[in-house]
Amino acid sequence: MINKTTRRALFKKTGNRQKTCQTKKEKTTPTGALEEGKKKKFFTYIKQINLQKKKIACKTRYKELDHYDIMLAQEPYLNKNKLCFAPSTHKAFFKHCSETNSRVAILLPNELAKISFNMGTFSNRDMITVKINNSDKDMKNGQMLSSIYLENDKNIDTELIEKIKSMTKYAKNQNIPLLIGMDANAHHPIWGDHKTDDRGRTLVDLFNELDLTIVNIGEDPTYLNTRGHNSIIDLTIGNKQMTDRITEWRIEQEQSLSDHKLITIKTNLGNEKVTYSRSTKNLDWEKYKEAVANKLEKTPFKYKNGQDHQKDIDSSMNYINETLITTYNKM
């Protein structure tokens, strides 16, 4: 049950952790390759913000990303279905739409992007979900990140709600940590806002149904426009597997160049983490291709006519992507 007591308990828990986790962020290569390195504590920072399609906000926020930072962006600036100003250190994941630009994106460091893929079943114009196939002993099934934008001037899209439900249930069934960065455009005291609306009530019911935790702490606004209107509409949400790994959540107070504040989430990706570097130099490519072919042959792809056709294609693409990466990591 998500309530103020739960949020205070989470604040108390993460607050205690912060006192013991103030070590300098270590730069390291994500897991998922072949050559073993030394063990060390590993933390990463996830940045969350609605950029309002502003060029200056995108340029500045992307430029400030550290080589190992992750960004969950809503309303980034795109031109002709291409995300603009992305740094060379990162790869952008977003849904390519035929008629209009995507309104969400996830930026991953290049090394992490190599072992990640877009989960098409759980993605559309307003939702992008990425699975990171790191093989850390504490996160054997990897982790999932999702960036979601809920449009302000209409009721919450039922198709989007169903995708959120399907994504969360998939993560639960596979025991995968899941983190969601969402511009909800909704109000409820549960996450510290001073107003309540129907959209807020709908989301609270949804989070309760899916056993998701709101990570937001305190009552500082995440949205503040030039007319003085302020509210908390940007939410960080996670399942238990992920929230147990969050050691810090904060709203940055400096100018973000957007009406939305920049949110920083510090996550623990494993206490004693064996790090790796990716190398294909000694890979037996013939053996790899044979292993991939054998695995794909055991799963014949069938497609139905009608509305489920696209779902079948997305599901098949997810399976092929995961097969390519997991087979490589086992070689």
Side-chain angles (χ1 to χ4, degrees):
M1 186 72 179
I2 305 171
N3 50 41
K4 285 193 173 183
T5 303
T6 302
R7 293 198 309 114
R8 290 192 192 101
L10 179 61
F11 173 72
K12 183 177 180 181
K13 179 170 65 172
T14 55
N16 290 337
R17 284 181 181 173
Q18 289 175 35
K19 294 177 183 178
T20 60
C21 297
Q22 294 298 325
T23 56
K24 185 178 179 180
K25 182 173 56 170
E26 300 181 43
K27 293 188 178 182
T28 184
T29 305
T31 62
L34 303 177
E35 297 171 5
E36 182 173 326
K38 66 179 182 178
K39 292 182 179 181
K40 59 175 70 175
K41 286 190 176 182
F42 180 73
F43 297 88
T44 193
Y45 288 84
I46 299 175
K47 308 290 185 176
Q48 174 187 338
I49 188 172
N50 183 317
L51 295 160
Q52 294 187 304
K53 305 177 185 177
K54 293 181 178 180
K55 294 182 181 180
I56 185 63
C58 294
K59 287 180 180 179
T60 305
R61 295 276 75 88
Y62 297 161
K63 186 177 180 180
E64 290 177 352
L65 284 175
D66 183 86
H67 278 46
Y68 297 95
D69 287 345
I70 294 169
M71 176 169 279
L72 309 179
Q74 298 84 49
E75 293 198 283
Y77 180 77
L78 284 88
N79 184 25
K80 297 180 180 178
N81 247 320
K82 180 181 179 181
L83 188 133
C84 302
F85 316 120
S88 60
T89 55
H90 287 66
K91 178 180 177 180
F93 290 81
F94 57 94
K95 184 77 171 180
H96 290 272
C97 306
S98 57
E99 297 181 358
T100 184
N101 287 328
S102 175
R103 294 195 284 195
V104 286
I106 294 177
L107 278 70
L108 293 181
N110 289 332
E111 286 300 316
L112 205 57
K114 291 177 183 177
I115 55 169
S116 307
F117 67 93
N118 173 11
M119 304 185 77
T121 305
F122 310 130
S123 300
N124 61 17
R125 185 191 182 200
D126 293 322
M127 176 180 181
I128 181 70
T129 305
V130 170
K131 181 157 187 280
I132 303 171
N133 282 305
N134 60 328
S135 55
D136 178 73
K137 63 181 180 180
D138 296 325
M139 302 178 84
K140 295 179 181 178
N141 298 321
Q143 56 204 294
M144 291 167 59
L145 302 174
S146 188
S147 179
I148 298 174
Y149 174 71
L150 303 184
E151 191 172 359
N152 187 32
D153 59 355
K154 64 179 183 180
N155 293 329
I156 299 175
D157 183 18
T158 54
E159 179 188 349
L160 196 55
I161 290 291
E162 290 305 312
K163 282 186 179 293
I164 294 171
K165 287 182 178 180
S166 299
M167 172 185 66
T168 305
K169 290 173 182 176
Y170 174 86
K172 181 179 180 180
N173 292 338
Q174 300 296 320
N175 195 31
I176 300 173
L178 167 66
L179 184 73
I180 303 168
M182 176 188 292
D183 178 0
N185 281 309
H187 305 276
H188 203 286
I190 286 289
W191 51 79
D193 204 20
H194 299 295
K195 296 192 299 182
T196 305
D197 60 10
D198 289 340
R199 290 166 63 100
R201 284 186 280 267
T202 297
L203 289 178
V204 168
D205 290 342
L206 177 67
F207 299 157
N208 280 333
E209 176 188 341
L210 299 175
D211 197 23
L212 292 171
T213 298
I214 300 167
V215 184
N216 292 50
I217 294 169
E219 298 181 353
D220 287 345
T222 65
Y223 174 83
L224 177 63
N225 66 17
T226 54
R227 298 185 299 276
H229 174 72
N230 65 79
S231 58
I232 301 174
I233 57 176
D234 301 285
L235 307 179
T236 307
I237 309 120
N239 61 8
K240 186 179 186 305
Q241 293 93 324
M242 180 58 84
T243 55
D244 284 346
R245 294 179 173 275
I246 294 175
T247 61
E248 185 178 354
W249 186 96
R250 67 175 184 265
I251 299 171
E252 304 294 354
Q253 296 305 315
E254 73 265 18
Q255 175 57 251
S256 69
L257 303 174
S258 163
D259 288 346
H260 296 255
K261 293 287 191 179
L262 178 68
I263 294 170
T264 297
I265 308 116
K266 186 178 183 182
T267 60
N268 177 359
L269 297 185
N271 289 329
E272 285 296 322
K273 186 177 182 65
V274 179
T275 63
Y276 299 82
S277 62
R278 177 173 289 275
S279 172
T280 60
K281 182 172 58 177
N282 300 318
L283 182 65
D284 186 334
W285 285 102
E286 291 302 319
K287 186 177 179 182
Y288 170 70
K289 287 188 285 186
E290 182 181 353
V292 169
N294 288 339
K295 189 165 185 180
L296 293 179
E297 283 176 1
K298 295 176 183 178
T299 309
F301 301 112
K302 298 179 181 178
Y303 302 106
K304 301 175 184 177
N305 293 325
Q307 293 181 344
D308 291 332
H309 183 69
Q310 186 60 47
K311 277 187 180 179
D312 292 337
I313 294 175
D314 287 341
S315 179
S316 297
M317 288 300 299
N318 288 344
Y319 181 79
I320 291 170
N321 280 331
E322 191 157 3
T323 296
L324 291 172
I325 294 171
T326 56
T327 303
Y328 174 79
N329 290 338
K330 291 177 180 178
M331 298 297 290

